[in-house]
Each structure stands twice: as structure tokens, then as C-alpha cells.
């Protein structure tokens, strides 16, 4: 018995020495990913949930791979030994489904590879894009396997496969290597947005297209365009050309932006704000401007007691339905100046009369305004759109309630009668986080606004921080659909387009990191900023 035990012990020791030598042997650090840099993402020691044929093949010639460093960080990486993958002349991009042709052509062009469409054979150096059968999975999820000098990116839908190509593009940026192993990744939040105020400041189509490419590479999936306000109406109109500003986007330019966005799996979300912020429309139709009992005009506010007011806004909503084919539609609803008066019914007797006529003797101006929002929601629903509105377009204590499916774009708690986020969530409403404490980049920094920093977002903000700096209870997390960083151009000439692009660069990266991965970032802010600089 003693002899047998000693023999077993010698075998165990020998195996341990062998494994130790294997782990210590290592190859070219550059060939296995960023060996000298801190890891990022969750690294598993062994394949998780993979069949043997899907598992990376270990080799004595290479060190164990490190998780890739990307923005946003990948959620999980299973380490392996192997050379990794770099794009090289003669490598192919192939797909297993024609639905992935656009993703294949795009990444092939970006990496300088040949796109060869649907192929069944497997060659050294291939990048293969595939659709899997996991129909219950998040359609934005993907699995990327780097093994034996080849890469395969698979997902349940083309969106997830696209995001896998964004990860790969960052991994191989500037001569880098995609590390051997398996990446499993998906976003925490379904809506990851950037909103741009093109009404107060004219942005060129080329500049917007550049932002679309940037957003796509960062895995954002929504671009909001606020194109109507007091200072301008910035998209060509056939139904009401008289309201369009001299500087504007043509419909052809908008279609090009929308097409580019769709190629990056980004939905363009239009916003025609009403019944406030309609100064550009009122300039062409002064008879629709809201006036007080004394005859004073109210800036930007349309008189919602007049049927012509509803007609012109509905004309525009209907006109642009074909131009913007995505699902969400932003109706605005904020800062209607009739409701900042101490006694709206006395200040605007025509609104009070219209409210009573439609909703009964006890109805108020707030009821009439809520009814306006519901009516505009009905208009966009006919085009199969999901309405959203700013949180200060929802009111407490009204007999008329905002329709349940109108999503809350929560941006502030500074309005008269401000409601805490928990009130909306407690009603079961879906909410998108636009917290002006962190996510508002307001040109010229008027009032109390200051330009947000990426570091503050990265270190202090989460999607549950909807108002100020305090998070709502975790039980509401599922009702928070995501978030959006926003550029507002209150003092339009304070910055040039190039200055805006530079100013929002790190805030955008910090925002998407927190929307993609719910956990505390593994990198310090200094490391994250250095990574962003390296990736360009």
C-alpha cells in the first residue's frame, strides 16, 4: 500500500510540474492580446456552456489569453491558449446566412479583407458570421470564438452579430490581436441613446453621419433628433414648407442618415416637441400663438384650444412617419408655459373653457394639456410607433391621465410640481434616463448647467440614477429601459461642431459603458481614458 501511494504521489507531482511549465511557457505576448495591460471584462478559467468542439484548443506554445479591452467592456471572456487572430491579406469574411451580408461587407471593408458571401468550407484566417438557433436569447447578444487562427461570431439576430464585429474591430485596432478564447456578451439595457438638438443649432449632415459611425462602433442603438423648437425647424417639409428654417436638412440627407444608422443597427428617434417649443411653427402661423387674457403672447406655446393647432402638428407627425421608420417617437410635452402661471385657468380662459367643454366642469388646463399629449400619441400609434414624452409633460392630480404606454423620458426634477422618479415607476411606467445632472451637455452652460465629464458619469452615474445623484430602488431596474446622453444648444454659438464632438467624446464612452455592463467597471478612470485614447 505504501509503494502504491508513493507512486500516485509522484504522478501527481509530475503532473503539477508539467502544468506549471505549460502555464509558464509562453510565446509572443503580442500574439495573445494585451498581456502587459490590466484585464477587462469577466475572465473565466475554462469554457462555460460550450461543447468540446466549441472550446478553444490549448497549446503549450502560448500563454493563457487575457480578456480583450474594449469600450464598452465585454461581459465575459473564457481564456485559452493560442495565437489569437489578426486580419491579414487573403483572409476571408464569410457568412452562413444572406441576412448577414451587410454586416459581412462592412467589417470586411473596415479590416481590409475579402468578403466572399456564403461559404461552407473553412479556411485558415477566416472570419465567419453566423446566426444561431437560440431564439430566446437577447437579440443583441453574441458569442465570439477565436480558435486555431480563425474567428466565428454568432448571435440570434443580425444586431448581435454586428456588435461582435465592433468588439473584433476594437481588438485588432492599430495592429492589435483578438485574443484566443470565447467572448460572451450582451447589453444590460435595451436603449442606449444619444440625442442631438439640431433645432437651435444647425449641424451638417456630414457631422451627424460621423456621429452615427462613432455611435455604432460604441454599440449605441438610438440617435434622437430634436429638430423643431423656438429657434428653428430643421428638416424639409412638404406639408408645411413655410415653417422650415433657411438652414436645414433635406429629406434626401435625412434618408441617408437613417440608412447609415440602420446599417449600424441604430434607430433614429424624431422629436417634434409640442405644445411648447413651437416658436418656429408659430412664426409662420402667429394666429396659433397662445395669448393671455390680457392679450400677451406666450413664447413658443401654441394655443391648444384651437383645432388648427392640432391639425398642423398632426400634419407634421404624419408627414415624417415614412422618413423615420423606427419604433420610438418623442412627442416632447415639456415646459408648456401656460402651466407655469399660478392660476392657469384665470390666465388663459380659452384653455379653461376648452378643458371644461371636453372633459367636464371640473377639468383644468393641465387636463387639457394631458389630453393634447394623448391625442398626439394616438397619431403616432397609427404608424405603429411607441410614444415617449419628457417627464414634466406628466402631471399629478389631473382627472385626465397620460396614456399608460407613453414612456417617460426623465430629465429633471426642477419643474413646478416636480414628481420623483419613483412616482412614475410606481405607476408601472417605462422610463428612459436623461438625467440632466449627468447626461445634459448644454452649450454655453446657461443657468446651473455645467458640461458633464466622462469621469463623473463613469464613477457616479448608473441607469437607476434618474434624478440628481440618488438611485431609485433596485426593484425598478426592469422598468428603466436605458438612457440617453443629450446635447442641447441653448447658446448655439458657444461651441463649433468640432468642439461639440470633442466635448462629448468621453461622456459618450462612459455612458455606454454604464448602459452595457451593470457591474462596477474594472478599469480605473485613468485606465479607461487611456484605452479610449488608444482605440481612437
Amino acid at each position: 500500500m505504501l509503494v502504491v501511494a508513493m507512486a500516485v504521489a509522484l504522478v501527481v507531482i509530475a503532473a503539477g510540474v508539467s502544468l506549471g511549465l505549460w502555464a509558464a511557457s509562453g510565446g509572443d505576448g503580442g500574439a495573445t492580446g494585451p498581456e502587459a495591460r490590466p484585464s477587462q471584462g469577466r475572465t473565466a478559467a475554462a469554457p462555460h456552456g460550450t461543447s468540446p468542439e466549441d472550446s478553444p484548443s490549448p497549446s503549450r506554445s502560448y500563454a493563457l489569453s487575457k480578456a480583450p479591452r474594449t469600450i464598452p467592456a465585454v461581459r465575459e471572456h473564457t481564456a485559452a491558449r493560442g495565437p489569437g487572430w489578426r486580419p491579414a491579406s487573403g483572409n476571408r469574411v464569410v457568412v452562413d446566412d444572406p441576412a448577414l451580408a451587410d454586416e459581412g461587407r462592412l467589417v470586411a471593408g473596415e479590416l481590409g479583407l475579402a468578403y466572399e458571401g456564403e461559404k461552407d468550407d473553412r479556411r485558415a484566417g477566416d472570419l465567419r458570421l453566423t446566426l444561431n438557433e437560440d431564439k430566446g436569447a437577447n437579440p443583441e447578444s453574441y458569442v465570439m470564438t477565436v480558435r486555431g487562427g480563425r474567428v466565428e461570431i454568432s448571435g440570434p439576430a443580425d444586431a448581435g452579430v454586428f456588435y461582435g464585429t465592433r468588439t473584433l474591430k476594437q481588438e485588432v485596432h492599430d495592429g492589435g490581436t483578438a485574443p484566443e478564447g470565447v467572448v460572451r456578451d450582451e447589453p444590460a439595457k435595451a436603449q442606449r441613446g444619444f440625442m442631438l438638438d439640431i433645432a437651435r443649432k444647425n449641424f451638417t449632415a456630414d457631422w451627424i453621419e460621423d456621429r452615427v459611425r462613432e455611435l455604432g462602433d460604441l454599440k449605441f442603438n438610438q440617435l434622437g433628433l430634436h429638430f423643431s423648437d423656438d429657434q428653428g425647424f430643421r428638416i424639409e417639409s412638404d406639408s408645411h414648407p413655410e415653417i422650415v428654417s433657411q438652414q436645414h436638412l433635406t429629406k434626401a440627407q435625412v434618408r441617408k442618415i437613417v440608412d447609415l444608422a440602420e446599417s449600424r443597427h441604430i434607430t433614429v428617434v424624431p422629436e417634434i416637441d409640442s405644445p411648447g417649443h413651437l416658436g418656429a411653427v408659430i412664426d409662420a402661423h402667429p394666429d396659433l400663438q397662445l395669448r393671455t387674457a390680457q392679450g400677451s403672447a406666450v413664447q413658443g406655446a401654441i394655443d391648444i384650444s384651437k383645432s388648427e393647432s392640432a391639425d398642423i402638428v398632426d400634419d407634421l407627425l404624419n408627414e415624417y412617419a415614412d422618413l423615420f421608420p423606427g419604433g420610438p417617437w418623442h412627442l416632447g410635452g415639456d415646459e408648456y408655459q401656460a402651466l407655469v402661471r399660478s392660476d392657469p385657468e384665470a390666465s388663459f380662459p380659452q384653455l379653461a373653457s376648452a378643458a371644461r367643454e371636453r372633459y367636464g366642469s371640473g377639468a383644468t388646463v393641465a387636463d387639457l394639456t394631458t389630453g393634447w399629449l394623448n391625442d398626439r400619441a394616438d397619431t403616432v400609434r397609427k404608424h405603429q410607433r411607441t410614444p415617449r414624452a419628457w417627464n414634466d409633460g406628466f402631471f399629478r392630480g389631473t382627472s385626465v391621465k397620460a396614456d399608460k404606454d407613453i414612456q417617460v423620458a426623465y430629465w429633471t426634477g426642477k419643474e413646478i410640481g416636480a414628481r420623483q422618479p419613483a412616482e412614475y415607476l410606481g405607476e408601472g411606467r417605462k422610463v428612459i434616463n436623461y438625467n440632466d445632472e449627468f447626461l445634459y451637455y448644454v452649450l454655453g452652460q446657461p443657468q446651473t448647467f455645467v458640461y458633464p465629464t466622462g469621469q463623473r458619469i463613469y464613477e457616479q452615474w448608473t441607469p437607476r440614477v434618474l434624478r440628481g445623484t440618488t438611485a431609485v430602488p433596485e426593484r425598478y431596474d426592469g422598468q428603466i429601459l436605458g438612457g440617453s446622453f443629450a446635447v442641447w444648444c441653448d447658446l448655439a454659438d458657444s461651441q463649433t461642431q468640432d468642439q461639440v464632438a470633442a466635448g462629448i467624446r468621453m461622456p459618450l464612452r462612459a455612458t455606454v459603458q454604464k448602459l452595457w455592463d451593470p457591474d462596477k467597471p474594472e478599469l480605473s478612470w485613468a485606465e479607461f481614458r487611456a484605452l479610449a485614447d488608444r482605440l481612437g
Side-chain angles (χ1 to χ4, degrees):
M1 293 293 291
L2 178 61
V3 173
V4 172
M6 291 178 64
V8 171
L10 287 171
V11 170
V12 171
I13 292 169
V17 171
S18 175
L19 290 172
L21 290 172
W22 187 359
S25 68
D28 177 0
T32 59
E35 295 285 331
R37 296 189 292 270
S39 65
Q40 183 194 35
R42 314 317 180 245
T43 302
H48 173 69
T50 59
S51 61
E53 60 269 22
D54 290 333
S55 301
S57 302
S59 166
R60 292 173 181 268
S61 302
Y62 300 95
L64 199 64
S65 64
K66 298 290 182 67
R69 294 187 67 187
T70 60
I71 296 175
V74 302
R75 301 282 294 277
E76 179 185 326
H77 175 256
T78 300
R81 291 180 172 83
W85 184 89
R86 289 178 180 172
S89 177
N91 287 4
R92 307 182 304 174
V93 176
V94 296
V95 301
D96 75 344
D97 192 298
L100 297 174
D102 290 343
E103 287 72 24
R105 290 190 182 97
L106 176 62
V107 72
E110 292 170 329
L111 302 185
L113 306 178
Y115 176 70
E116 297 198 6
E118 294 177 77
K119 299 291 182 182
D120 293 328
D121 63 317
R122 296 178 180 272
R123 297 182 187 173
D126 276 356
L127 166 56
R128 178 174 291 275
L129 309 182
T130 70
L131 292 176
N132 61 42
E133 298 299 322
D134 190 359
K135 301 306 181 184
N138 184 333
E140 294 187 307
S141 66
Y142 67 92
V143 176
M144 180 167 65
T145 302
V146 180
R147 181 180 70 238
R150 292 193 295 267
V151 182
E152 180 172 313
I153 299 172
S154 67
D158 53 354
V161 174
F162 170 74
Y163 294 135
T165 67
R166 300 307 87 190
T167 295
L168 182 67
K169 181 182 176 183
Q170 289 193 25
E171 288 176 335
V172 302
H173 174 76
D174 199 23
T177 298
E180 200 86 2
V182 179
V183 167
R184 297 179 181 279
D185 204 12
E186 65 178 335
K189 292 299 179 183
Q191 296 190 20
R192 305 174 302 280
F194 168 59
M195 196 229 73
L196 181 65
D197 172 11
I198 64 172
R200 294 180 176 95
K201 182 180 181 68
N202 182 61
F203 288 86
T204 66
D206 287 346
W207 190 93
I208 297 172
E209 288 175 15
D210 285 343
R211 300 288 73 71
V212 169
R213 295 184 185 94
E214 179 182 15
L215 295 172
D217 282 352
L218 292 170
K219 304 187 178 86
F220 281 90
N221 64 1
Q222 289 187 0
L223 167 64
L225 291 181
H226 175 93
F227 62 91
S228 171
D229 213 301
D230 296 347
Q231 294 81 356
F233 192 99
R234 301 290 182 181
I235 294 179
E236 174 187 359
S237 172
D238 299 317
S239 65
H240 291 282
E242 73 279 1
I243 70 175
V244 179
S245 302
Q246 183 177 1
Q247 288 186 309
H248 65 272
L249 298 173
T250 66
K251 286 189 174 180
Q253 289 174 317
V254 174
R255 289 189 187 98
K256 187 180 177 186
I257 291 168
V258 169
D259 288 346
L260 180 65
E262 285 184 338
S263 75
R264 268 67 176 177
H265 295 272
I266 294 170
T267 298
V268 181
V269 181
E271 181 189 356
I272 299 175
D273 201 346
S274 77
H277 294 282
L278 282 172
V281 173
I282 292 168
D283 285 346
H285 295 273
D287 55 308
L288 299 182
Q289 185 160 33
L290 179 65
R291 294 182 178 274
T292 66
Q294 292 74 38
S296 299
V298 180
Q299 175 64 32
I302 204 165
D303 189 336
I304 60 176
S305 70
K306 297 182 176 182
S307 61
E308 297 86 354
S309 295
D311 291 342
I312 193 170
V313 174
D314 284 347
D315 285 347
L316 295 167
L317 294 174
N318 288 321
E319 176 182 356
Y320 292 114
D322 291 336
L323 191 61
F324 297 101
W329 197 290
H330 206 314
L331 297 171
D334 64 311
E335 298 180 326
Y336 187 46
Q337 294 302 301
L339 294 170
V340 304
R341 306 299 174 99
S342 59
D343 188 346
E345 286 70 35
S347 296
F348 305 100
Q350 76 276 34
L351 298 184
S353 176
R356 292 191 296 270
E357 181 178 345
R358 182 169 182 184
Y359 298 112
S361 60
T364 65
V365 173
D367 287 312
L368 187 69
T369 308
T370 302
W372 169 278
L373 177 64
N374 289 341
D375 289 344
R376 307 293 77 75
D378 283 342
T379 300
V380 300
R381 276 194 212 96
K382 292 174 184 175
H383 300 284
Q384 291 75 53
R385 305 305 162 82
T386 301
R388 72 175 60 161
W390 299 112
N391 65 283
D392 52 331
F394 297 77
F395 310 109
R396 181 193 290 119
T398 54
S399 59
V400 179
K401 305 298 181 184
D403 293 341
K404 286 291 188 181
D405 69 329
I406 302 176
Q407 298 172 353
V408 179
Y410 199 100
W411 72 280
T412 189
K414 303 180 179 72
E415 76 275 16
I416 296 172
R419 301 171 65 191
Q420 291 288 341
E423 283 194 46
Y424 303 91
L425 295 164
E427 295 171 359
R429 292 192 180 276
K430 304 294 186 182
V431 176
I432 304 103
N433 191 327
Y434 290 78
N435 187 341
D436 64 349
E437 181 79 18
F438 292 92
L439 306 179
Y440 262 34
Y441 192 95
V442 185
L443 297 198
Q445 303 182 108
Q447 301 175 41
T448 59
F449 288 106
V450 296
Y451 292 129
T453 67
Q455 182 173 2
R456 190 158 181 260
I457 296 168
Y458 189 78
E459 295 178 344
Q460 299 180 31
W461 180 80
T462 73
R464 287 198 291 119
V465 179
L466 286 162
R467 172 177 173 176
T469 59
T470 303
V472 298
E474 188 174 0
R475 66 180 180 274
Y476 293 127
D477 187 67
Q479 291 173 238
I480 300 170
L481 303 178
S484 182
F485 190 83
V487 169
W488 293 101
C489 303
D490 291 44
L491 300 174
D493 296 330
S494 300
Q495 290 191 343
T496 66
Q497 290 186 142
D498 289 344
Q499 288 173 323
V500 173
I504 65 176
R505 181 175 174 274
M506 288 309 300
L508 282 176
R509 284 151 177 78
T511 299
V512 80
Q513 172 61 41
K514 304 303 281 291
L515 290 168
W516 189 271
D517 189 340
D519 295 330
K520 182 179 178 180
E522 292 193 356
L523 298 184
S524 69
W525 170 249
E527 290 169 333
F528 185 82
R529 185 177 55 199
L531 174 60
D533 290 343
R534 182 173 67 79
L535 294 176

